Amino acid sequence: DVASWHWATNPINGLLGVGGVGQSDFLWYVRTRPRVLEAFARLWAVDAMYEDAESCAAALLTSFDGAGAFRPWASDRRWRTMPGWWHVDQNSRAAAPRRGRCAVQGLVSLKRQDATTGGFAVLPGSHRGHEALCANSASTIGGAGHFVPLRGGDPLLAAASARFVSCEAGDLVCWDSRTIHCSVPAFGGDGGASALSEAAAGARLQRDCLLRLTAYVCMSPKRVAPEAVRRQRKIWWHGGATTSHWPDDWAVSMMPDGRDAAPWLLRELRELPSPRVAARLIGWDDAAVVDALPSLNDLGPLFAEWHSEFAPPPGDAPPPLADVVDDDPMNSSGHHDPMSSPVCTSAEEVCVA
């Protein structure tokens, strides 16, 4: 029922990060799809048999990211998200700095995305100015985290031409974390008014009136994550955590609790979609353990650690990964009007901005 859609999506950007969404069946289904795993395995050139989902998962860790949704704002004007919140999700001047190519973020779109729906936009080639952006942000905005917003007058915005990423349902879209990006609301169409009318007439399911539904997913090679982080990830999963896009860092963004959800129900690994693949993506890599699929009784000691201090290991963050992604796979040499050029139109295509 559209009238009940006053749930906890961020009204600014449509992000969903509460209620244990990072451990939902929806997101675990997306993370364990063979083509998603193959894409990240190839991006990082991990030593894996690409035709085998479990072998890809054995070499990767996944983020416990959330999701995103755009509601039909024709029903409620307050549902229209904010345009232009350009940012990067990697900060070379953070308390735990990340420099170079450290992460490739991704989203899987569950809906066709075009001018009538809004969706994802990037500034192609902007990763080249990442160090200057972080230095400027440190002096003007501050902040020790990895979310780096752009100020309205930033010269990078004037120098680059934005591209809206058109895609089909089922597409995976990927981008370097140094690339400036944001979500944008629809810049055409009727805000879902026609879909709402069809739903009212019984010609469409109300749940199909969402303008946008995306699953955020980021994977990195398992080898870069310290053992302490891999152990902590098992606690995060057990506790229902939603995290940032970093699979190899301490970045829990939300734990389900009485403020935003019903109490989190502890789950068996075997309840997850593709449980053997999921277990490897969480951090288990011993074949015997994966075969056994630990039960709640086995995992009890891990969950007990959640209630005690679990300090990050000393030292710097993991080093940048090797350059394995083309520096400018989206040719940005030509001039394009903002929001005018489709980048990804094939369901089989993987885009790196």
Side-chain angles (χ1 to χ4, degrees):
D1 182 358
V2 174
S4 70
W5 287 359
H6 296 282
W7 22 260
T9 180
N10 189 314
I12 294 175
N13 50 35
L15 293 179
L16 288 161
V18 300
V21 65
Q23 304 301 338
S24 64
D25 283 351
F26 161 50
L27 283 162
W28 274 113
Y29 179 83
V30 171
R31 293 166 188 154
T32 55
R33 293 312 87 201
R35 295 301 298 275
V36 172
L37 290 161
E38 178 185 348
F40 280 101
R42 291 187 180 277
L43 280 168
W44 291 120
V46 298
D47 185 14
M49 298 172 56
Y50 299 126
E51 69 275 8
D52 184 333
E54 190 173 337
S55 65
C56 288
L60 297 166
L61 291 178
T62 184
S63 63
F64 298 151
D65 257 337
F70 286 178
R71 294 169 288 182
W73 49 267
S75 176
D76 187 332
R77 297 287 297 184
R78 295 171 297 179
W79 290 355
R80 193 170 194 269
T81 57
M82 180 183 73
W85 59 292
W86 298 104
H87 67 282
V88 298
D89 294 303
Q90 179 178 324
N91 187 358
S92 65
R93 302 300 179 94
R98 298 282 186 124
R99 295 183 174 88
R101 186 177 287 107
C102 296
V104 177
Q105 295 172 254
L107 65 83
V108 173
S109 180
L110 279 295
K111 308 275 290 186
R112 186 175 187 274
Q113 301 289 265
D114 57 26
T116 67
T117 63
F120 181 73
V122 295
L123 299 185
S126 57
H127 63 289
R128 298 190 186 93
H130 180 254
E131 183 63 34
L133 168 62
C134 294
N136 182 57
S137 177
S139 64
T140 58
I141 300 174
H146 283 284
F147 177 79
V148 182
L150 272 73
R151 297 173 67 89
D154 195 294
L156 286 171
L157 292 175
S161 296
R163 292 190 185 182
F164 178 80
V165 180
S166 299
C167 61
E168 300 296 327
D171 277 354
L172 168 66
V173 181
C174 296
W175 64 98
D176 187 310
S177 283
R178 298 170 296 170
T179 302
I180 298 169
H181 63 282
C182 70
S183 62
V184 294
F187 46 98
D190 58 10
S194 56
L196 290 168
S197 296
E198 292 175 11
R204 173 193 290 260
L205 294 174
Q206 293 209 17
R207 68 187 184 199
D208 292 335
C209 293
L210 280 175
L211 298 179
R212 186 185 193 219
L213 181 61
T214 59
Y216 292 104
V217 58
C218 180
M219 297 184 186
S220 63
K222 190 174 289 184
R223 65 178 181 267
V224 306
E227 181 59 35
V229 171
R230 291 167 66 176
R231 181 173 178 80
Q232 181 75 343
R233 287 172 50 80
K234 298 170 188 177
I235 302 173
W236 291 342
W237 164 74
H238 202 41
T242 300
T243 71
S244 73
H245 73 282
W246 296 104
D248 59 346
D249 202 359
W250 310 81
V252 173
S253 60
M254 183 65 68
M255 291 294 296
D257 57 30
R259 291 171 298 174
D260 58 58
W264 181 249
L265 300 177
L266 304 186
R267 306 177 68 189
E268 302 273 4
L269 269 169
R270 57 179 53 84
E271 295 173 357
L272 294 176
S274 303
R276 285 179 56 89
V277 175
R280 291 194 180 275
L281 290 172
I282 292 169
W284 278 280
D285 55 9
D286 180 82
V289 172
V290 174
D291 285 337
L293 287 178
S295 67
L296 289 178
N297 288 335
D298 300 324
L299 294 170
L302 279 178
F303 190 65
E305 291 184 22
W306 185 257
H307 299 285
S308 62
E309 185 176 357
F310 198 100
D316 295 332
L321 301 170
D323 286 352
V324 296
V325 184
D326 181 10
D327 275 343
D328 190 18
M330 296 170 59
N331 181 8
S332 57
S333 58
H335 176 75
H336 300 271
D337 291 331
M339 305 298 115
S340 65
S341 299
V343 177
C344 177
T345 56
S346 167
E348 301 300 325
E349 199 168 30
V350 175
C351 305
V352 183

